[in-house]
């Protein structure tokens, strides 16, 4: 079945290709122009600038208006060639040496190479009686400036983030890691988008088996388009049916550099500021970049507080529903009387009440994200206050339920990464249903099922609950807490052979030794 689908895919791919695309360039300029014009038919922004070199030799410059630097084309290509005095072109190489002073040039010999270069903004120069062309590195388009990612802001740390241009993103990583050991491999994915994808790793730190596995998973992808890293994330993860993300996405160069230095692989995509990091663990998704910039005692306390509130965001509404539905004896009498007196006029059971409030809260949060930034936050906060208060006064929900849902919402905001937060929010609803039908037994059943599922997950072969399952004592220094830097001498052991030591021992400051 798989072979049949693959065969049909290749058949459709061949049908979509224009005849002659794989052919070599001809020495007849008119023949080359005929093929290119037929391929770019009805493309008003593709410019075919025909001119004479020295008033004698026919030539054409093909480029896309808006993707190429018109000023550089006029000054460094057209003006020198049209003012050529010899008239006849001896060779393209001689022409480049004498007249075209551009640092980035490439000789191309096929139609497909012409298409690839024109599509990325590099003008292609074709000359009559020459069986090859020259791609000129004069691409230029509007770029977003480097700024702080709005979804991953920190109090202390770098204020720069990745952008949609992959050349800028690779330069941001080079600025962080100034070593030739930083390697970058490029491939292209997408029949129509031909998206440039770059695999980044540290030679000597990343396992070669991991690098080959990442490359193999990317090369086997056959898809029409790649417009964002999310397209690829779903195609290369180990378990696509799991609600938990198995790759980390980030906009921060410092996060990407930190993971590279721990032996992980970073995948960059042209056209999106989000990069993918593999392999990861459950604890990687619960760590904030600011944990490593603040003092270790502060970071450890905040990280422990984060874990507590993440558990509350997952099970707090379910515990409230279970206690009010099945386990009244576990609630202190005074508190139980207060809760039931507030629920006296509520016509719904606790489960329905919790589902109504949670769905309303999630709808308000999603509306706040989709609305314009100027009014989004105000609408979500005001909406929650107004709807909550009105629902209590109308007797549809009780005040304790509003408090529980509010605490749950605040707790869910403590998850550093959005993808992990969505997974926990999704799991909250089935746990509430089990709590409404089975009580605390249903909650325990759900928690055990989630833990078993997490134990079976892998991220590029790495167990998802590393370093707790399997237990790795040395790596617990950066799991539930963040040990001081002078204690974290070793890198995490992910896969295969690795370079274990990131720094020498004995780095703890000793005030008795002064500056010696």
């Amino acid at each position: 079945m798989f072979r049949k689908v693959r065969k049909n895919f290749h058949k459709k791919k061949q049908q979509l290709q224009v005849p002659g695309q794989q052919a070599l360039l001809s020495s007849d300029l008119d023949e080359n122009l005929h093929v290119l014009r037929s391929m770019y038919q009805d493309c008003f922004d593709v410019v075919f600038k025909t001119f004479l070199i020295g008033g004698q030799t026919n030539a054409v410059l093909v480029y896309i208006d808006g993707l190429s630097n018109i000023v550089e084309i006029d000054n460094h290509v057209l003006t020198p060639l049209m003012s050529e005095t010899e008239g006849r072109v001896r060779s393209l190489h001689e022409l480049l040496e004498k007249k075209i002073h551009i640092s980035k040039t490439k000789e191309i010999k096929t139609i497909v190479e012409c298409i690839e270069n024109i599509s990325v903004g590099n003008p292609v120069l074709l000359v009559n009686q020459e069986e090859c062309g020259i791609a000129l590195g004069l691409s230029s388009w509007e770029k977003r400036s480097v700024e702080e990612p709005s979804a991953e802001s920190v109090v202390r740390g770098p204020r720069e983030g990745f952008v949609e241009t992959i050349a800028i993103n690779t330069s941001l990583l080079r600025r962080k890691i100034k070593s030739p050991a930083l390697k970058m491999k490029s491939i292209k994915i997408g029949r129509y988008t031909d998206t440039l994808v770059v695999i980044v790793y540290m030679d000597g730190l990343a396992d070669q088996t991991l690098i080959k596995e990442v490359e193999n998973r990317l090369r086997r992808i056959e898809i029409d388009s790649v417009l964002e890293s999310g397209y690829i994330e779903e195609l290369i993860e180990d378990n696509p049916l799991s609600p938990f993300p198995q790759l980390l996405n980030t906009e921060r160069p410092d996060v990407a550099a930190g993971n590279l230095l721990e032996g992980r692989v970073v995948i960059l995509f042209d056209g999106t500021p989000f990069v993918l990091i593999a392999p990861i663990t459950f604890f990687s998704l619960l760590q904030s970049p600011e944990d490593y910039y603040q003092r270790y005692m502060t970071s450890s306390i905040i990280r422990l507080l984060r874990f507590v509130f993440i558990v509350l965001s997952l099970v707090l509404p379910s515990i409230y529903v279970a206690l009010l539905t099945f386990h009244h004896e576990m609630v202190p009498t005074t508190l139980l009387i207060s809760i039931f007196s507030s629920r006296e006029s509520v016509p719904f059971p606790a489960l329905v009440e919790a589902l109504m409030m949670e769905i309303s809260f999630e709808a308000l949060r999603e509306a706040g994200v989709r609305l314009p930034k100027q009014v989004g936050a105000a609408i979500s906060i005001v909406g929650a206050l107004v709807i909550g208060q009105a629902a209590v006064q109308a007797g549809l929900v009780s005040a304790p339920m509003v408090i529980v849902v509010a605490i749950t919402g605040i707790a869910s905001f403590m998850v550093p990464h959005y993808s992990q937060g969505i997974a926990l929010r999704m799991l909250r609803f089935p746990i509430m249903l089990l709590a409404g039908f089975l009580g605390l037994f249903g909650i325990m059943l759900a928690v055990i099922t989630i833990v078993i599922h997490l134990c079976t997950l892998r991220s590029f072969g790495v167990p998802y609950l590393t370093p707790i399952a399997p237990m790795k004592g040395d790596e617990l220094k950066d799991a539930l807490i963040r040990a001081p830097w002078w204690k974290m001498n070793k890198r995490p052991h992910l896969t295969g052979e690795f370079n274990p030591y990131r720094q020498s021992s004995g780095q703890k400051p000793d005030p008795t030794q002064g500056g010696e």
Side-chain angles (χ1 to χ4, degrees):
M1 180 66 183
F2 177 76
R3 290 181 179 178
K4 186 176 180 181
V5 172
R6 193 178 183 92
K7 184 178 180 181
N8 291 336
F9 182 90
H10 285 296
K11 186 177 180 181
K12 291 180 180 178
K13 183 176 181 180
Q14 291 173 0
Q15 291 174 351
L16 290 168
Q17 288 177 347
V18 177
Q21 186 176 353
Q22 299 291 343
L24 296 173
L25 287 172
S26 170
S27 58
D28 186 355
L29 181 61
D30 292 334
E31 183 178 340
N32 294 332
L33 281 178
H34 175 72
V35 175
L36 290 176
R37 288 184 188 275
S38 64
M39 298 183 70
Y40 283 112
Q41 187 177 3
D42 297 330
C43 298
F44 80 96
D45 56 338
V46 179
V47 179
F48 291 84
K49 175 61 178 177
T50 57
F51 62 97
L52 295 175
I53 300 178
Q56 183 175 347
T57 305
N58 291 322
V60 64
L61 190 68
V62 188
Y63 62 92
I64 296 179
D65 189 17
L67 293 184
S68 301
N69 193 324
I70 305 300
V71 176
E72 296 293 326
I73 290 175
D74 291 339
N75 294 338
H76 299 290
V77 181
L78 294 179
T79 300
L81 292 181
M82 295 175 70
S83 62
E84 170 68 32
T85 56
E86 292 185 6
R88 187 176 63 84
V89 177
R90 295 183 180 179
S91 69
L92 284 180
H93 296 287
E94 184 178 349
L95 197 66
L96 284 173
E97 291 178 1
K98 291 185 176 181
K99 291 295 180 180
I100 302 178
H101 303 293
I102 297 175
S103 59
K104 190 176 180 181
T105 59
K106 179 183 178 182
E107 183 178 301
I108 54 178
K109 296 184 178 181
T110 64
I111 296 294
V112 68
E113 288 181 308
C114 287
I115 302 301
E116 289 176 352
N117 283 278
I118 294 170
S119 299
V120 297
N122 294 329
V124 172
L125 175 64
L126 301 175
V127 181
N128 196 26
Q129 301 303 318
E130 291 288 340
E131 294 183 349
C132 61
I134 298 295
L136 309 171
L138 295 176
S139 60
S140 176
W141 55 82
E142 293 298 324
K143 306 179 184 69
R144 184 168 62 92
S145 60
V146 176
E147 55 191 18
E148 183 180 8
S150 58
E152 298 180 77
S153 59
V154 295
V155 176
R156 179 177 180 178
R159 304 293 182 184
E160 58 187 10
F162 289 123
V163 296
E164 288 75 12
T165 306
I166 199 168
I168 297 178
N169 295 341
T170 55
S171 66
L172 289 173
L173 287 177
R174 290 286 183 187
R175 283 182 57 195
K176 297 287 182 184
I177 305 176
K178 304 176 182 66
S179 170
L182 181 64
K183 306 298 182 182
M184 298 184 182
K185 294 182 178 180
S186 67
I187 61 175
K188 291 187 177 181
I189 304 177
R191 282 186 298 170
Y192 295 120
T193 59
D194 209 22
T195 305
L196 180 62
V197 180
V198 177
I199 304 171
V200 188
Y201 63 94
M202 291 295 296
D203 189 22
L205 299 185
D207 180 27
Q208 291 298 321
T209 305
L210 171 64
I211 299 168
K212 291 179 181 178
E213 179 65 19
V214 172
E215 191 171 357
N216 290 337
R217 292 192 189 188
L218 290 173
R219 290 191 182 279
R220 76 182 182 194
I221 295 173
E222 295 176 340
I223 191 173
D224 281 352
S225 61
V226 178
L227 302 179
E228 215 280 329
S229 58
Y231 283 49
I232 301 300
E233 182 177 1
E234 293 187 20
L235 295 172
I236 64 174
E237 59 187 359
D238 291 57
N239 190 344
L241 300 180
S242 173
F244 293 96
Q246 292 134 62
L247 290 95
L248 174 63
N249 64 81
T250 182
E251 291 183 80
R252 298 187 62 90
D254 56 328
V255 173
N259 282 277
L260 284 171
L261 294 171
E262 288 187 348
R264 295 181 174 89
V265 174
V266 174
I267 309 173
L268 279 67
F269 301 85
D270 193 19
T272 176
F274 287 91
V275 306
L276 298 179
I277 299 173
I280 61 166
T281 65
F282 178 78
F283 301 98
S284 302
L285 295 165
L286 301 180
Q287 296 170 355
S288 170
E290 201 170 5
D291 292 349
Y292 301 94
Y293 304 144
Q294 301 285 359
R295 292 177 57 81
Y296 72 94
M297 289 181 287
T298 305
S299 300
S300 298
I301 293 173
I302 292 176
R303 186 175 288 185
L304 290 173
L305 188 66
R306 189 181 299 141
F307 278 100
V308 171
F309 273 85
I310 286 171
V311 173
L312 288 179
S313 71
L314 185 64
V315 299
L316 182 58
S318 305
I319 292 175
Y320 180 82
V321 170
L323 293 179
L324 291 189
T325 307
F326 295 99
H327 309 284
H328 301 160
E329 70 281 358
M330 298 184 66
V331 184
T333 305
T334 306
L335 178 60
L336 187 63
I337 293 173
S338 175
I339 292 175
F340 273 98
S341 63
S342 66
R343 297 192 73 252
E344 205 169 5
S345 60
V346 178
F348 305 109
L351 175 60
V352 176
E353 186 184 3
L355 287 174
M356 286 173 52
M357 288 302 297
E358 284 292 342
I359 292 174
S360 300
F361 186 85
E362 293 297 333
L364 284 169
R365 174 153 53 180
E366 188 66 17
V369 173
R370 304 304 164 203
L371 284 171
K373 187 182 297 184
Q374 293 81 359
V375 297
I379 292 296
S380 59
I381 295 172
V382 173
L385 292 174
V386 171
I387 292 177
Q389 183 66 25
V392 171
Q393 291 181 352
L396 297 177
V397 296
S398 61
M401 178 57 74
V402 175
I403 296 173
V404 169
V405 172
I407 294 174
T408 305
I410 294 172
S412 65
F413 287 136
M414 295 192 68
V415 181
H417 295 281
Y418 186 72
S419 57
Q420 184 75 319
I422 292 178
L424 297 176
R425 285 157 53 187
M426 287 175 53
L427 293 172
R428 191 186 305 154
F429 291 95
I431 296 176
M432 278 194 292
L433 292 174
L434 287 173
F437 290 112
L438 300 175
L440 291 178
F441 175 75
I443 297 177
M444 291 304 299
L445 183 64
V447 171
I448 291 172
T449 303
I450 292 173
V451 172
I452 292 174
H453 174 69
L454 291 174
C455 290
T456 61
L457 277 184
R458 297 287 188 274
S459 175
F460 283 82
V462 177
Y464 204 59
L465 290 182
T466 304
I468 291 182
M471 178 65 70
K472 295 183 179 180
D474 289 341
E475 297 180 22
L476 290 175
K477 298 175 183 178
D478 193 22
L480 299 177
I481 62 170
R482 202 275 282 177
W485 277 112
W486 40 267
K487 289 290 289 183
M488 293 194 295
N489 298 327
K490 290 187 176 181
R491 295 185 179 87
H493 188 183
L494 300 172
T495 57
E497 298 296 329
F498 75 117
N499 186 350
Y501 293 99
R502 74 171 100 206
Q503 63 188 25
S504 59
S505 58
Q507 302 264 1
K508 181 180 179 181
D510 188 354
T512 61
Q513 296 183 0
E516 297 179 3

